[in-house]
Amino acid sequence: MRIRIVDAFTDRPFAGNPAGVLLLDSFPDDAWLQNVAREVNHAETAFAHRLPEGGEADWALRWFTPVTEVALCGHATLATAHVLRTTGTHEGRVRFATRSGVLIATPHEDGSVTLDFPTAPLTRADIPQGIAEALGARPLTAFDTGPNVGDLLVELADEQTVLDLAPDHKALRGRSARGIIATAAADPGRGYDFVSRCFFPDVGIDEDPVTGSAHTALAPFWSERLGRPDLTGLQASPRSGSVRTGLRGDRTLLTGHAVTVIEGELLV
């Protein structure tokens, strides 16, 4: 079977967030899926197979990190939609059946793809004891992002504070179901509205390059503060990438590009 590595939320190779993508006839057992994801060893590997016509979704989709299956993943969904479009396997809008419900991906003529995801419910939380020491910066506020995302979102003082973070990843473990989203407003004139970094040591990812699912929490957080439904976020990892967000009530639109960088044959 064909296996592809796709850089998502970027329009150039070797940036954004890489994901493995495999299109299957059906899902093999979970142990095989986990072994493939461990072998690929990127933040996520997406597995998809076509569903019968006439249902609520066109493809079934699952996502695995090197150590576990996750409930929601943006960049690997974008990568899968990109593969379906560029290989001619599926034309136009595609509906994915996932653990987080039906997710819709809509391709555009400029090569970008818009994902329609559930908006994360934000609940004000106490700033956990020790989080400032673990991050290396003191949060201003903290929010729980609900069961699908499973992160603790922390607001920091400014963009430079986010860029300068050098967290103790071991000390960040156990802070939430998945990890920590650190964010701040962008400096004026940057061309984007907010900046973020995401740390997920509990699922085997010390720092995720660009996290689509985190932006379903970042979108309502920053849209409320900035007074606009449509924003652009920069996730400032070493690879970096941008996500255009559109808050639509209980749904959040995530738009970005993707680039296939590797295509090969899986032999096992």
Side-chain angles (χ1 to χ4, degrees):
M1 65 193 74
R2 306 302 292 172
I3 183 169
R4 297 167 176 87
I5 306 298
V6 177
D7 290 344
F9 291 115
T10 181
D11 59 3
R12 57 189 176 88
F14 313 124
N17 201 351
V21 178
L22 288 93
L23 305 182
L24 308 170
D25 294 327
S26 62
F27 289 138
D29 65 81
D30 288 2
W32 186 89
L33 298 172
Q34 188 64 74
N35 281 334
V36 172
R38 187 177 298 112
E39 190 78 9
V40 172
N41 201 34
H42 284 312
E44 308 284 349
T45 299
F47 302 91
H49 70 78
R50 194 187 301 273
L51 294 172
E53 293 184 5
E56 66 174 3
D58 307 301
W59 289 74
L61 178 62
R62 298 172 71 181
W63 314 277
F64 285 77
T65 79
V67 299
T68 191
E69 184 174 9
V70 297
L72 186 66
C73 180
H75 85 277
T77 304
L78 175 59
T80 304
H82 169 80
V83 168
L84 292 175
R85 181 182 63 83
T86 56
T87 60
T89 307
H90 188 99
E91 295 185 2
R93 187 184 75 157
V94 57
R95 301 168 299 167
F96 293 112
T98 78
R99 289 175 58 180
S100 295
V102 175
L103 306 177
I104 298 174
T106 303
H108 305 292
E109 291 186 1
D110 66 354
S112 66
V113 175
T114 295
L115 307 177
D116 183 336
F117 272 31
T119 299
L122 299 181
T123 305
R124 189 73 176 253
D126 293 332
I127 297 172
Q129 185 176 2
I131 192 71
E133 292 76 13
L135 275 175
R138 186 166 300 280
L140 304 178
T141 59
F143 290 81
D144 179 84
T145 60
N148 284 341
V149 175
D151 295 332
L152 182 71
L153 186 154
V154 296
E155 180 188 8
L156 301 182
D158 52 38
E159 179 173 344
Q160 195 60 50
T161 301
V162 175
L163 299 180
D164 290 342
L165 290 176
D168 179 342
H169 297 290
K170 184 176 180 180
L172 286 180
R173 291 178 183 169
R175 301 289 179 176
S176 65
R178 185 176 68 168
I180 304 294
I181 304 168
T183 188
D187 291 342
R190 289 292 201 186
Y192 47 89
D193 300 292
F194 60 88
V195 64
S196 66
R197 290 173 69 186
C198 293
F199 308 105
F200 307 137
D202 283 303
V203 294
I205 306 163
D206 282 347
E207 181 167 5
D208 197 37
V210 190
T211 314
S213 59
H215 284 76
T216 66
L218 290 163
F221 183 86
W222 287 112
S223 286
E224 179 181 351
R225 281 155 180 75
L226 301 177
R228 289 183 285 123
D230 298 320
L231 302 170
T232 298
L234 174 74
Q235 191 160 330
S237 67
R239 292 177 63 102
S240 196
S242 63
V243 183
R244 300 201 308 273
T245 65
L247 186 63
R248 303 293 185 267
D250 64 354
R251 307 297 296 182
T252 293
L253 306 181
L254 309 173
T255 301
H257 287 79
V259 180
T260 302
V261 293
I262 296 174
E263 182 176 350
E265 185 176 358
L266 185 65
L267 301 176
V268 294

